[in-house]
C-alpha cells in the first residue's frame, strides 16, 4: 500500500511519505521510531528514500531489488569469486598458438580442465555471464546512487536554520546556555573558520565540507564509468588483441584493418648474453646450461594499401615506415600497437642432402631442398638425376597406396620419396629426418642428410584499446571520490538564540573529536562552557560500571 503524505503536528509542514524528521522544523514525526538511529535520520535530514517507501508495483519491486546493498554486495562477491577461479588455470590467451583449447586443457588438467573449459573460465573476462554480472553491478550502482542521491540533494538544498527544540537535544554534540547575547558573535566566529552562514531570525545554521557527502556518489560514478569502459571492450573494433605470425621476408596483412595495412618481416634478431662478456650476469650464465636472451627484435617495413577501398582489387602497397620492434618498444600506428611477443624457430626452411654410392663415395655436389617450394628434380652428375616423387611437410603415415600423409602443412617433420634415376635404371628411397628407408630392393645409391636451415619467424601481438582512456578516467574519478569521502568532513552547527536560553548543537558524518575541538575553541573565546558529547559520557559511564 502506498504511504500518504505526512503533516507535522508542530509546524504544519507537509512532508513526503517515509519522512521521519520534519523537513521544516526538524521535529521527529514518528515518535515510535528508534531514537538511537540518529545517524540514519540525519543522513538525509528526514527526506524519504524511495526504496524505503513501501509499494506493490512491479517497477518498485525491481527498483528495490537493485537498490539493495545486500544485492550489490552479493554481485561483487560473485564477481570476485569468479575472477579468483579464473586464475587457477591459464586463460586461452596464454596457451600455445594453434593448440585446440578443449584438447589442451583436457590433456594437461584432466576432468577438471575439461569442466574449466566448458564453463567458460578459460575466457572468463569475455564470457557472456561475466559481462552480465558487470552489467548488473553497474545497474545496482546507478539505482543505489539515484535512490539515495536524490533525497540527499533535496535535503542539503532545502536545509533550514530554524529547528525544533527536540532536534537539538537529539544531537550528539549539544549544550544549553543561559545567555543569548553572544549568539551573533559566535556565528561570526564560526563563519571566519570557512563555515557558510544561514540565518532565520535568531536561528543560525553554519555548514562546511558539504562536498564530503558526495564522495561515495563520486566513487559510484567512477566505478560506473570504469565498468562501462570494460564492457565496451566486447564491441567490435574497440578492443583488439591479435597474434601476427610472420616469417623472415614474408609480407602479411594486419588483422582487423580491412586490408589497409601490411607488414613485411625484414629480419629477426636474437641476441644472447656471453658468459665471458664481463657483465653482472657472468656467474649466473656459467651455472646455467640454457641460453640467456638479452634481446630479440623484428625489423619491419610498414605498407599502406592504396586500393583497400576498391572491392576485388589487388593490393597496391606503398611503403610508409621502417621500424625495429623490441620488447617493450612497440610500433604505433593509428590506434594500433605492434609488440614483440615471441619468436618461432621450429619450422624448417630447407634441408641439404648428398648422394653416396654403395661404397660410401660422395657423388656430385650436395643438393638443397627448399621446403616451402621444393623443386621436381635435382641434377647430381651428368648421368644421375634425383626426382622428387612425394613430399609431406609434417609426416604422419603412409597410406596403402603409398601416398605420404601430412598432419599439417607446416614443415616441422618433413618426409620425402626420392627417385634416383641413372639412364633407364631407377630406385626409390623414403627419407625422414635422420632416417632413410630403401623402397626398392638392392639400391646401389643412398641419400644422406647433411644439414637443415630453420625459418626464423616473429610472433607479434597487435593491440588496440579505445576503452583504456574511459577506464583510466573512471579510475581517476573513483580515487577522487575516495579522497573526498575519506578526508573531508561535513560539519553542521545549529544555534537557537530565541527566548531566554541559547541552544547549540552540531552534527558531522565523521570525526566528532575534531568538530568538538573546533567548537570548544570558539566557545572558550566567548567564555562559554564546552560543548557536551553525549556518546562520550555514555562510554565513560560504562567504564565506571
Amino acid at each position: 500500500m502506498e504511504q500518504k503524505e505526512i503533516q507535522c503536528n508542530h509546524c504544519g509542514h507537509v512532508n513526503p511519505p517515509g519522512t521521519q524528521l520534519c523537513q521544516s522544523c526538524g521535529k521527529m514525526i514518528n515518535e515510535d521510531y528508534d531514537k538511537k538511529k540518529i545517524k540514519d535520520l540525519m543522513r538525509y535530514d528526514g527526506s524519504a528514500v524511495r526504496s524505503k517507501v513501501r509499494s506493490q508495483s512491479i517497477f518498485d519491486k525491481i527498483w528495490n531489488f537493485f537498490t539493495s546493498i545486500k544485492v550489490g554486495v552479493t554481485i561483487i562477491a560473485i564477481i570476485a569469486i569468479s575472477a579468483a577461479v579464473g586464475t587457477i588455470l591459464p586463460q586461452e590467451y596464454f596457451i600455445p598458438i594453434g593448440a585446440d583449447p578443449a584438447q589442451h586443457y583436457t590433456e594437461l588438467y584432466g576432468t577438471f580442465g575439461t569442466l574449466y573449459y566448458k564453463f567458460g573460465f578459460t575466457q572468463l573476462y569475455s564470457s557472456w555471464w561475466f559481462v552480465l554480472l558487470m552489467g548488473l553491478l553497474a545497474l545496482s550502482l546507478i539505482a543505489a546512487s539515484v535512490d539515495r542521491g536524490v533525497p540527499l540533494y533535496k535535503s542539503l538544498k532545502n536545509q533550514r536554520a530554524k529547528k525544533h527544540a527536540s532536534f537539538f537535544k537529539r544531537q550528539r554534540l549539544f549544550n544549553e546556555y543561559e545567555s543569548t547575547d553572544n549568539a551573533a558573535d559566535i556565528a561570526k566566529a564560526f563563519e571566519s573558520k570557512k563555515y557558510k552562514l544561514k540565518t532565520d531570525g535568531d536561528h543560525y545554521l553554519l555548514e562546511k565540507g558539504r562536498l564530503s557527502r558526495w564522495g561515495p556518489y563520486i566513487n559510484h560514478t567512477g566505478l560506473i564509468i570504469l565498468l562501462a569502459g570494460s564492457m565496451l571492450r566486447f564491441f567490435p573494433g574497440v578492443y583488439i588483441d591479435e597474434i601476427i605470425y610472420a616469417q623472415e621476408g614474408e609480407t602479411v596483412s594486419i588483422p582487423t584493418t580491412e586490408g589497409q595495412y601490411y607488414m613485411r618481416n625484414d629480419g629477426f634478431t636474437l641476441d644472447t648474453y656471453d658468459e665471458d662478456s664481463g657483465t653482472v650476469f657472468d656467474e649466473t650464465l656459467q651455472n646455467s646450461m640454457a641460453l640467456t636472451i638479452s634481446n630479440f627484435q623484428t625489423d619491419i617495413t610498414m605498407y599502406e594499401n592504396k586500393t583497400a577501398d576498391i572491392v576485388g582489387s589487388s593490393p597496391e602497397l606503398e611503403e610508409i615506415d621502417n621500424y625495429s620492434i623490441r620488447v617493450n618498444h612497440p610500433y604505433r600506428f593509428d590506434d594500433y600497437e605492434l609488440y614483440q611477443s615471441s619468436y618461432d624457430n621450429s619450422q624448417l626452411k630447407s634441408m641439404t642432402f648428398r648422394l653416396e654410392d654403395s661404397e660410401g663415395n660422395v657423388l656430385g655436389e650436395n643438393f638443397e631442398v627448399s621446403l616451402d617450394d621444393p623443386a621436381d628434380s635435382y641434377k647430381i652428375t651428368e648421368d644421375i638425376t634425383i626426382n622428387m616423387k612425394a613430399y609431406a611437410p609434417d609426416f604422419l603415415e603412409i597410406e596403402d597406396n603409398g601416398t605420404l600423409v601430412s598432419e599439417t602443412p607446416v614443415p616441422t617433420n618433413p618426409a620425402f620419396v626420392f627417385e634416383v634415376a641413372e639412364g633407364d635404371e631407377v630406385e626409390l628411397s623414403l627419407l625422414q629426418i635422420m632416417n632413410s628407408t630403401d623402397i626398392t630392393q638392392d639400391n646401389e645409391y643412398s641419400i644422406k642428410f647433411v644439414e637443415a636451415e630453420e625459418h626464423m619467424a616473429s610472433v607479434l601481438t597487435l593491440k588496440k584499446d579505445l576503452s583504456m582512456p574511459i577506464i583510466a578516467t573512471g579510475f581517476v574519478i573513483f580515487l577522487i571520490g575516495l579522497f573526498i569521502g575519506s578526508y573531508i568532513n561535513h560539519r553542521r552547527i545549529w544555534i537557537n538564540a530565541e527566548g531566554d536560553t541559547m541552544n547549540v548543537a552540531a552534527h558531522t558524518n565523521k570525526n566528532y573529536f575534531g568538530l568538538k575541538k573546533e567548537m570548544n575553541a570558539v566557545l572558550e573565546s566567548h567564555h562559554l562552557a564546552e560543548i557536551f558529547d553525549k556518546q562520550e559520557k555514555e562510554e565513560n559511564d560504562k567504564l565506571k560500571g
Side-chain angles (χ1 to χ4, degrees):
M1 179 182 293
E2 293 283 353
Q3 292 186 355
K4 297 180 179 180
E5 294 179 335
I6 306 172
Q7 184 174 6
C8 177
N9 56 16
H10 173 73
C11 66
H13 180 77
V14 178
N15 297 276
T19 305
Q20 297 296 337
L21 293 179
C22 177
Q23 295 179 346
S24 177
C25 67
K27 186 178 184 298
M28 183 177 287
I29 294 175
N30 184 3
E31 297 294 343
D32 296 330
Y33 193 81
D34 187 354
K35 296 184 180 181
K36 293 182 180 180
K37 294 183 178 179
I38 300 301
K39 292 183 179 179
D40 182 50
L41 291 173
M42 290 301 298
R43 184 175 294 143
Y44 308 105
D45 284 353
S47 295
V49 177
R50 179 182 177 87
S51 62
K52 303 298 182 182
V53 180
R54 295 180 181 179
S55 175
Q56 298 299 319
S57 70
I58 297 297
F59 175 81
D60 284 324
K61 288 181 178 180
I62 297 174
W63 180 263
N64 294 344
F65 174 81
F66 281 106
T67 57
S68 170
I69 295 178
K70 292 181 179 179
V71 171
V73 171
T74 301
I75 295 173
I76 293 174
I78 294 174
I79 291 175
I81 294 171
S82 300
V85 173
T87 64
I88 296 176
L89 298 181
Q91 295 287 291
E92 283 189 32
Y93 179 83
F94 298 103
I95 69 175
I97 299 173
D100 178 59
Q103 183 179 356
H104 176 81
Y105 285 99
T106 300
E107 289 180 351
L108 290 183
Y109 310 107
T111 304
F112 177 73
T114 303
L115 295 174
Y116 198 84
Y117 172 76
K118 288 185 176 180
F119 282 108
F121 284 104
T122 59
Q123 290 183 318
L124 174 67
Y125 306 106
S126 59
S127 62
W128 66 268
W129 58 269
F130 194 83
V131 176
L132 178 62
L133 284 174
M134 290 197 296
L136 291 174
L137 179 59
L139 285 175
S140 179
L141 288 171
I142 294 172
S145 299
V146 173
D147 186 61
R148 293 162 176 80
V150 171
L152 175 63
Y153 170 78
K154 290 180 179 179
S155 66
L156 294 177
K157 180 182 179 182
N158 300 319
Q159 289 185 95
R160 298 173 183 265
K162 187 175 182 180
K163 295 291 185 181
H164 190 266
S166 63
F167 174 86
F168 284 83
K169 294 179 181 180
R170 283 199 313 275
Q171 302 309 311
R172 175 174 168 178
L173 298 182
F174 167 74
N175 209 343
E176 188 175 22
Y177 303 93
E178 295 181 355
S179 174
T180 62
D181 297 338
N182 295 331
D185 294 335
I186 294 173
K188 291 293 182 182
F190 281 117
E191 190 176 15
S192 66
K193 291 182 176 292
K194 309 298 183 182
Y195 281 85
K196 291 184 178 180
L197 175 62
K198 186 176 184 178
T199 61
D200 184 359
D202 292 328
H203 298 268
Y204 305 87
L205 167 62
L206 298 124
E207 179 186 26
K208 73 174 179 179
R210 182 187 290 188
L211 182 62
S212 171
R213 301 292 294 278
W214 297 107
Y217 301 94
I218 296 174
N219 274 346
H220 288 182
T221 301
L223 284 173
I224 292 167
I225 295 174
L226 195 152
L227 288 170
S230 299
M231 289 187 289
L232 279 175
R233 288 184 165 206
F234 305 109
F235 286 83
V238 176
Y239 178 77
I240 292 170
D241 191 343
E242 298 280 348
I243 294 295
I244 297 178
Y245 188 95
Q247 296 179 353
E248 286 184 315
E250 184 181 9
T251 301
V252 297
S253 175
I254 303 296
T256 73
T257 63
E258 306 298 333
Q260 182 180 0
Y261 292 101
Y262 284 74
M263 179 205 78
R264 184 181 70 209
N265 181 354
D266 294 327
F268 179 80
T269 304
L270 179 67
D271 297 324
T272 59
Y273 286 106
D274 184 356
E275 63 181 28
D276 298 322
S277 61
T279 66
V280 294
F281 305 107
D282 287 354
E283 184 177 350
T284 302
L285 293 172
Q286 291 171 1
N287 296 330
S288 175
M289 299 298 293
L291 293 176
T292 303
I293 298 172
S294 61
N295 174 54
F296 54 92
Q297 71 179 46
T298 303
D299 299 324
I300 67 167
T301 300
M302 286 295 297
Y303 299 94
E304 184 174 2
N305 181 13
K306 294 301 181 181
T307 60
D309 298 333
I310 304 175
V311 179
S313 63
S314 299
E316 184 180 324
L317 303 183
E318 178 181 325
E319 182 178 328
I320 58 175
D321 203 359
N322 293 283
Y323 191 78
S324 294
I325 302 175
R326 293 177 290 131
V327 176
N328 297 327
H329 292 79
Y331 175 69
R332 296 179 173 88
F333 65 102
D334 286 355
D335 296 317
Y336 295 90
E337 292 180 331
L338 269 175
Y339 287 86
Q340 181 68 61
S341 176
S342 182
Y343 65 94
D344 180 18
N345 60 351
S346 63
Q347 296 185 28
L348 297 174
K349 181 178 181 181
S350 65
M351 296 180 69
T352 302
F353 301 91
R354 67 172 180 264
L355 181 66
E356 296 180 358
D357 59 19
S358 58
E359 297 179 358
N361 298 317
V362 178
L363 303 177
E365 299 292 333
N366 296 345
F367 66 98
E368 181 180 310
V369 178
S370 172
L371 301 181
D372 295 329
D373 186 20
D376 294 332
S377 63
Y378 303 89
K379 191 72 173 177
I380 305 302
T381 66
E382 291 184 1
D383 301 325
I384 301 174
T385 302
I386 296 179
N387 300 314
M388 177 83 69
K389 304 303 290 184
Y391 165 54
D394 188 7
F395 178 69
L396 177 63
E397 61 183 358
I398 302 175
E399 290 187 347
D400 295 337
N401 61 2
T403 303
L404 301 184
V405 178
S406 181
E407 186 172 8
T408 69
V410 181
T412 56
N413 181 33
F416 314 86
V417 174
F418 286 123
E419 178 190 71
V420 181
E422 183 180 12
D424 296 331
E425 297 181 3
V426 296
E427 55 186 45
L428 299 174
S429 299
L430 170 66
L431 270 78
Q432 299 171 254
I433 296 178
M434 307 304 290
N435 184 33
S436 177
T437 304
D438 293 337
I439 297 177
T440 54
Q441 295 182 353
D442 302 324
N443 282 358
E444 182 180 350
Y445 301 103
S446 61
I447 300 174
K448 302 293 186 180
F449 170 75
V450 177
E451 63 181 1
E453 183 182 357
E454 299 170 335
H455 269 304
M456 290 300 292
S458 292
V459 182
L460 305 175
T461 301
L462 177 69
K463 286 185 175 291
K464 176 183 178 182
D465 193 352
L466 300 181
S467 66
M468 187 53 67
I470 300 174
I471 293 174
T473 300
F475 184 69
V476 170
I477 292 175
F478 174 81
L479 292 180
I480 292 173
L482 186 64
F483 175 83
I484 290 173
S486 301
Y487 296 101
I488 300 178
N489 306 326
H490 182 216
R491 297 179 174 182
R492 287 178 289 179
I493 301 171
W494 294 272
I495 301 175
N496 178 11
E498 188 177 53
D500 299 329
T501 59
M502 179 177 66
N503 291 327
V504 178
H507 181 272
T508 181
N509 61 332
K510 63 175 72 70
N511 192 14
Y512 270 93
F513 176 80
L515 176 58
K516 179 183 176 181
K517 183 178 180 181
E518 185 178 43
M519 292 182 67
N520 285 336
V522 174
L523 294 172
E524 185 179 354
S525 67
H526 289 80
H527 309 290
L528 295 174
E530 293 184 350
I531 199 75
F532 179 69
D533 188 339
K534 292 192 293 185
Q535 182 171 315
E536 184 178 328
K537 182 179 182 303
E538 290 175 359
E539 292 175 353
N540 291 335
D541 291 341
K542 288 180 180 179
L543 292 175
K544 292 178 181 179

